[in-house]
Amino acid sequence: MLSHHEKNKRAGNEQVATAKKADRRRFLRRGSFIAGLTAVGSVFSLIPLAPAYASEISTQAVPMSQILQDTQAKQYAQVVITSSAYQQFKQKLRQGYAGDLILQEQNAVAFLITIEQSKFVSVQIPIQGEVGYSHYIGLFEWGSHNVMMSQSAVFIHEGEQNIHCVREYNGNVVFDAIVTPQGNVVKGVAQVGNNMKAIDGLTSRQMLSQAVPLTGCDFFGCFGNCWNNQGLPGWAIAGLGFLCGASCIFKVLCAPCVLAALGAYSIFSGYCYGICVHCIGS
């Protein structure tokens, strides 16, 4: 027989476990992409967040990002929204996904990204529903109104906890997989070279390291370690190496791709980029 104290202790443990499970489910379902943008503020300086890394990061290596306002933002957003690539994605979203997903064109946000001497504009159109943080992105060189690159990410609930993640680069699927909350692949395919290959069972770390032959260094492995050390969700960077591996052969293209892909977490992704970019060519 359990004592009165032991019964109370067991009941308390069960309540904590139930609360943690509920919190985890609420996290996966909460908010949309814009909620994350609001949390990081309208203008941020990407201050290092982990003192342990303070000596490893160069201020010049950290991309700076700020939200464009008014006329400029609207002009860039309009170019993306009226582009044929976006319209094709919009049609695909309506017909190709079972989840409840709604493009929020009225909430489009344009970011000015500065990395060393280069400037880019990233227009991010949030997609409301399902896990949250789904988005479509058009990237420009600063001063140009020609979309130089587009990418999208869709996150849909799969069962109780897993997430179906689909990433596209310039309209082509580069990652389509069911992943765990930690970012490990249950089942899926990804673009490796010029072909789509099965990646069933790959861990998050193994996926991030797939881009090593392209970058010549383990930039994405380093990035993943930094990301995990911030306590951020592994599923949010699922497929990042496949998406940005080719871009990250060069620093000037790597930062815009990575920061655009993780727009809701820009303050963290910019910081981790600054720590890990030292091994990428100029």
Side-chain angles (χ1 to χ4, degrees):
M1 294 287 290
L2 295 174
S3 66
H4 180 70
H5 172 73
E6 290 173 325
K7 287 180 179 179
N8 287 339
K9 184 177 181 181
R10 174 175 291 184
N13 290 339
E14 290 175 351
Q15 289 176 351
V16 170
T18 300
K20 286 183 176 179
K21 185 180 291 185
D23 286 343
R24 183 167 62 250
R25 290 180 180 173
R26 278 196 294 271
F27 171 76
L28 290 176
R29 296 176 186 272
R30 74 181 181 188
S32 67
F33 182 78
I34 283 296
L37 295 175
T38 302
V40 299
S42 61
V43 178
F44 32 81
S45 59
L46 302 177
I47 299 170
L49 302 174
Y53 289 123
S55 62
E56 301 176 31
I57 190 167
S58 166
T59 303
Q60 290 185 336
V62 179
M64 307 298 287
S65 181
Q66 69 183 73
I67 293 179
L68 291 178
Q69 302 292 337
D70 304 329
T71 304
Q72 284 184 316
K74 290 178 181 178
Q75 287 177 343
Y76 280 109
Q78 192 61 25
V79 171
V80 173
I81 291 170
T82 57
S83 68
S84 59
Y86 174 76
Q87 292 301 319
Q88 290 172 10
F89 173 79
K90 191 173 182 179
Q91 188 70 15
K92 187 186 300 182
L93 194 70
R94 290 172 177 168
Q95 299 177 350
Y97 295 99
D100 182 17
L101 299 165
I102 304 172
L103 281 159
Q104 300 281 289
E105 295 174 1
Q106 72 278 12
N107 292 328
V109 181
F111 284 95
L112 175 62
I113 299 172
T114 304
I115 174 67
E116 297 179 355
Q117 302 302 314
S118 300
K119 293 185 178 182
F120 302 87
V121 174
S122 173
V123 174
Q124 306 178 9
I125 301 175
I127 303 172
Q128 185 180 19
E130 291 294 324
V131 177
Y133 302 106
S134 298
H135 55 269
Y136 180 93
I137 289 165
L139 189 71
F140 303 80
E141 288 186 280
W142 173 245
S144 169
H145 284 82
N146 295 318
V147 180
M148 62 178 289
M149 180 269 284
S150 67
Q151 58 172 260
S152 63
V154 175
F155 302 103
I156 301 173
H157 292 292
E158 182 71 26
E160 280 293 306
Q161 293 187 346
N162 292 338
I163 299 123
H164 183 191
C165 172
V166 181
R167 291 191 184 275
E168 292 188 7
Y169 184 90
N170 287 339
N172 298 312
V173 175
V174 295
F175 182 79
D176 185 351
I178 296 170
V179 301
T180 67
Q182 295 73 35
N184 302 320
V185 176
V186 177
K187 185 177 182 180
V189 294
Q191 184 172 320
V192 181
N194 295 322
N195 302 309
M196 297 296 287
K197 294 187 177 181
I199 54 171
D200 301 1
L202 285 187
T203 65
S204 176
R205 169 70 188 189
Q206 289 171 328
M207 274 197 297
L208 290 167
S209 296
Q210 291 289 311
V212 170
L214 292 172
T215 61
C217 69
D218 195 13
F219 166 77
F220 287 101
C222 172
F223 188 94
N225 289 337
C226 174
W227 186 265
N228 292 333
N229 287 337
Q230 307 306 319
L232 299 168
W235 58 264
I237 57 172
L240 183 65
F242 297 107
L243 178 71
C244 295
S247 296
C248 286
I249 296 175
F250 305 106
K251 291 180 183 178
V252 71
L253 296 178
C254 188
C257 186
V258 171
L259 265 68
L262 302 171
Y265 298 95
S266 289
I267 192 167
F268 300 103
S269 57
Y271 169 60
C272 290
Y273 172 90
I275 288 175
C276 301
V277 72
H278 59 86
C279 68
I280 295 178
S282 57

